[in-house]
Amino acid sequence: MFSRKSPLLPVLLLLLSASLSTSCTSYSSSLVAGHLASRSGDPVDDFDSKCSLIASQLNSSIPNATVRFAEFVTQGTNLTFTDSDRDPSCVIEPVYPASLIVRADVCRISLDVQTSGRSGIHMETWLPRNWTGRFLSTGNGAFAGCIQFADMAYTSSLGFATVGANNGHDGFSGQSFLNNSDVLEDFVYRSLHTGVVVGKEITKTFYGHEHTKSYYLGCSTGGRQGLKSIQDFPEDFDGVVAGAPANQWNKLMDDSSYIFSLTGTPDAPSFVPAEAWLNIVNPDILKQCDTIDGVEDGIIEDPHLCNYAPSPDIVCSADSNSTSCITPEQADTVRKVFSPFFIGDEFIYPRLVPGSEISDALRVVLAGDVSGFDWFKFVVNSDPNLDPKTLGPSDWKKCIDQDPFNISTFKGDISAFKNRGGKLLSYHGQTDSLISPESSETYYDHVSSTMDLSTSQMDDFYRLFRISGMFHCFTGPGAWNVGQVLLDDTSPGSDYTDPEKNVLMATVRWVEEGAAPETIEGTKFVNDTNSLGVEFSRKHCRFPLRNTYDGVGDSTKPESWSCQPVSD
């Protein structure tokens, strides 16, 4: 699925993003079809001519901006991105494709915006002919200075005027943060906010009037960016979809170093090879925990119920050369990585959840390296030659204390967003090894406590959905597709743009009709390919409710499950 050639892939995989959207058949008629034509009064045939003239207008009206080009791109165009569009390292299929099919007529505008004397962003705005009146910003992933063109193509095809930016630097490395706080500031918040401000002005200039509603869609770093906008710029968005958010950023970076301190390098006696995780530990975990929910399907519905410890029969003697067991020292490593991270008596970060030790974990957190190492080299210690093996508690505490531009993104008071009617839909895969799903619950509880709100009061503006069997942002053994990735069939009114099944369109309906999502129905396609049909589906519950099997129905059908209160 991903190229293995890039040494920066672990950083990418730490924090990816994705998207999807539009309405169900009845819903689309009221919220999509009613807005399809441009309401500026200009003939639709003038769309391409307006696109050809927009560059000169923007150069004279947008401060500190230089338009690279504006071009009319027709539906069906196979758009290939050049090195001038994005850094060559930004090509990692399928999240960052080298080319993609544009699904609707759009005016594509590329521009640079200066953010300080030594920093700036590169951004694009895609303005669809079939504009719904809605504005949307995409996010980024990892340390990535890469516009997520797949998300832009997807959301613009659904009628959103869409923007994306490069996070204030080019490529996947964090090297540009070194001794440049302005570039770092762009990364933390300013790139996204600037893109929103400029993008809304471009939208108004092009269509002749302002947008009706503003939305955000992002996962991982993109999820953190969404929460940062809510916390610091509550007026930017009416609805935010924040997947697997990388908030508590500094502690997340610490956790990557901490887990490395447990596993050691691949030549260490404590290191557990990928084959052992896959063939010994994971089957043992499923043996202990898979059927807790009443169904043997390779999915741990609620990892809170799985308190895993290696079974005695998979642990062999220290001098054994068997490939069917692990040594006592390796078993100790397994126990520790499935336990919370403390520095002394201070809790730092949630555990790696059982069931997440496959896929992303084997390439990143359990691979015998520090996946967030760029942060320690170029920000925490400002030392490009730093040895990751030297990191320890003093570095971890230093990382937490620094918190540049409040990148921790952990403010509990989001009343300004709530009071203006904003809606936050967050989701998190329950087999995510790159960002613990328990971290999203921690933030939800923090907001509830800080604002002194009950669960029912939180439901008015903030809902968190736990997606069983989803890895980081997408893929996994569960019904993970909830409208966060591009499908072959994402046309308005298609089944997968139904707000009952799509996190973005559920948010649109919540904002515009006041109908809050009770569940999000996830879909598992055969071989994760929607053209091959549906393998099974499941309705995912909002936190803190637990998805519960009825014990008698077909477990592949969503009606055999229900959302029940968590009992003590």
Side-chain angles (χ1 to χ4, degrees):
M1 185 175 194
F2 293 100
S3 167
R4 302 295 193 274
K5 296 180 180 180
S6 171
L8 296 168
L9 178 59
V11 177
L12 166 67
L13 289 173
L14 181 62
L15 306 151
L16 296 176
S17 334
S19 307
L20 209 63
S21 213
T22 270
S23 47
C24 65
T25 303
S26 61
Y27 179 62
S28 63
S29 63
S30 62
L31 290 184
V32 177
H35 291 286
L36 287 181
S38 170
R39 297 178 297 169
S40 65
D42 292 336
V44 172
D45 291 342
D46 285 348
F47 182 86
D48 53 348
S49 61
K50 285 199 297 182
C51 185
S52 65
L53 298 173
I54 191 69
S56 59
Q57 291 179 262
L58 297 178
N59 276 326
S60 62
S61 63
I62 306 293
N64 304 313
T66 303
V67 177
R68 294 187 181 184
F69 62 82
E71 62 179 5
F72 175 52
V73 184
T74 59
Q75 180 180 0
T77 298
N78 188 348
L79 188 63
T80 299
F81 303 105
T82 67
D83 290 350
S84 63
D85 295 323
R86 79 287 180 268
D87 188 85
S89 70
C90 290
V91 181
I92 298 182
E93 304 286 351
V95 179
Y96 298 96
S99 63
L100 53 77
I101 302 297
V102 177
R103 299 185 176 218
D105 289 352
V106 297
C107 181
R108 178 193 177 196
I109 303 167
S110 173
L111 67 158
D112 301 307
V113 184
Q114 198 75 14
T115 54
S116 78
R118 56 176 185 167
S119 64
I121 68 170
H122 172 55
M123 63 175 288
E124 293 212 7
T125 305
W126 288 23
L127 304 169
R129 184 193 297 276
N130 65 327
W131 189 43
T132 61
R134 301 180 187 123
F135 174 87
L136 183 142
S137 176
T138 60
N140 303 92
F143 298 126
C146 305
I147 297 172
Q148 296 197 180
F149 288 110
D151 288 356
M152 296 193 69
Y154 164 59
T155 53
S156 62
S157 74
L158 296 170
F160 293 84
T162 301
V163 297
N166 74 339
N167 234 350
H169 66 281
D170 292 321
F172 284 111
S173 172
Q175 187 169 359
S176 58
F177 303 151
L178 182 64
N179 301 321
N180 193 328
S181 60
D182 290 317
V183 172
L184 183 60
E185 187 172 3
D186 284 343
F187 173 75
V188 174
Y189 74 90
R190 192 166 55 188
S191 174
L192 179 68
H193 178 62
T194 300
V196 170
V197 172
V198 172
K200 287 180 177 179
E201 185 62 28
I202 291 173
T203 300
K204 180 181 178 181
T205 300
F206 185 83
Y207 292 110
H209 59 88
E210 293 183 345
H211 61 281
T212 55
K213 295 294 181 181
S214 177
Y215 296 93
Y216 176 79
L217 181 64
C219 190
S220 196
T221 284
R224 185 199 66 79
Q225 290 171 310
L227 295 185
K228 185 69 170 173
S229 294
I230 286 173
Q231 294 170 15
D232 292 359
F233 304 98
E235 72 285 352
D236 277 1
F237 301 112
D238 300 294
V240 168
V241 179
N247 62 333
Q248 299 190 85
W249 174 272
N250 310 299
K251 294 181 178 181
L252 176 61
M253 296 298 102
D254 282 353
D255 190 56
S256 69
S257 174
Y258 168 70
I259 291 181
F260 170 71
S261 76
L262 300 178
T263 65
T265 54
D267 58 348
S270 57
F271 185 77
V272 182
E275 295 76 12
W277 285 109
L278 283 170
N279 301 322
I280 301 172
V281 178
N282 179 253
D284 191 46
I285 288 173
L286 293 179
K287 182 179 179 181
Q288 291 187 29
C289 298
D290 185 9
T291 58
I292 290 175
D293 55 24
V295 179
E296 186 175 1
D297 56 3
I299 302 166
I300 300 172
E301 189 65 29
D302 187 347
H304 283 293
L305 300 178
C306 182
N307 298 308
Y308 173 73
S311 301
D313 59 357
I314 72 163
V315 182
C316 50
S317 62
D319 58 353
S320 173
N321 292 320
S322 173
T323 59
S324 61
C325 56
I326 57 177
T327 67
E329 190 167 356
Q330 291 172 328
D332 187 53
T333 298
V334 171
R335 281 189 288 269
K336 287 177 178 177
V337 300
F338 289 132
S339 301
F341 170 25
F342 286 82
I343 299 178
D345 294 330
E346 181 184 359
F347 170 74
I348 302 299
Y349 200 73
R351 64 177 181 161
L352 188 75
V353 293
S356 69
E357 65 286 338
I358 56 178
S359 186
D360 298 330
L362 300 180
R363 295 191 294 264
V364 187
V365 297
L366 299 175
D369 201 356
V370 180
S371 56
F373 189 41
D374 273 14
W375 191 254
F376 287 97
K377 285 199 299 185
F378 302 122
V379 178
V380 178
N381 293 306
S382 299
D383 180 4
N385 299 312
L386 184 68
D387 182 354
K389 296 178 183 179
T390 66
L391 297 176
S394 62
D395 299 279
W396 301 335
K397 290 181 179 180
K398 181 180 179 182
C399 179
I400 294 170
D401 291 341
Q402 282 184 348
D403 198 18
F405 305 105
N406 194 24
I407 194 173
S408 56
T409 315
F410 202 65
K411 292 180 181 178
D413 184 358
I414 55 175
S415 55
F417 180 74
K418 171 185 178 292
N419 292 341
R420 65 179 298 271
K423 308 299 182 185
L424 167 60
L425 188 157
S426 188
Y427 67 90
H428 208 135
Q430 297 302 286
T431 50
D432 188 340
S433 62
L434 304 187
I435 302 175
S436 174
E438 294 179 9
S439 68
S440 283
E441 299 169 27
T442 299
Y443 182 65
Y444 179 97
D445 289 338
H446 180 54
V447 172
S448 175
S449 175
T450 301
M451 297 177 63
D452 193 23
L453 298 175
S454 66
T455 298
S456 61
Q457 290 171 317
M458 291 283 284
D459 279 347
D460 289 340
F461 73 103
Y462 182 0
R463 297 193 174 200
L464 166 63
F465 292 87
R466 299 188 291 175
I467 314 299
S468 59
M470 179 196 285
F471 294 147
H472 185 58
C473 293
F474 58 92
T475 73
W480 60 265
N481 198 305
V482 291
Q484 80 280 38
V485 296
L486 187 65
L487 294 176
D488 294 337
D489 181 13
T490 54
S491 56
S494 72
D495 191 32
Y496 307 115
T497 57
D498 182 341
E500 297 293 325
K501 300 180 180 182
N502 186 295
V503 286
L504 177 56
M505 295 318 295
T507 305
V508 169
R509 184 172 65 175
W510 192 7
V511 168
E512 298 182 17
E513 292 192 343
E518 295 298 322
T519 61
I520 298 294
E521 183 175 326
T523 305
K524 175 67 173 179
F525 296 104
V526 176
N527 294 332
D528 285 338
T529 305
N530 64 297
S531 60
L532 297 180
V534 176
E535 184 175 340
F536 65 92
S537 57
R538 189 163 298 171
K539 290 183 178 179
H540 302 292
C541 305
R542 70 184 189 279
F543 182 75
L545 300 178
R546 174 178 291 146
N547 210 11
T548 305
Y549 175 52
D550 65 14
V552 293
D554 183 348
S555 64
T556 67
K557 305 297 183 182
E559 56 267 23
S560 297
W561 298 77
S562 61
C563 298
Q564 301 295 329
V566 175
S567 58
D568 294 332

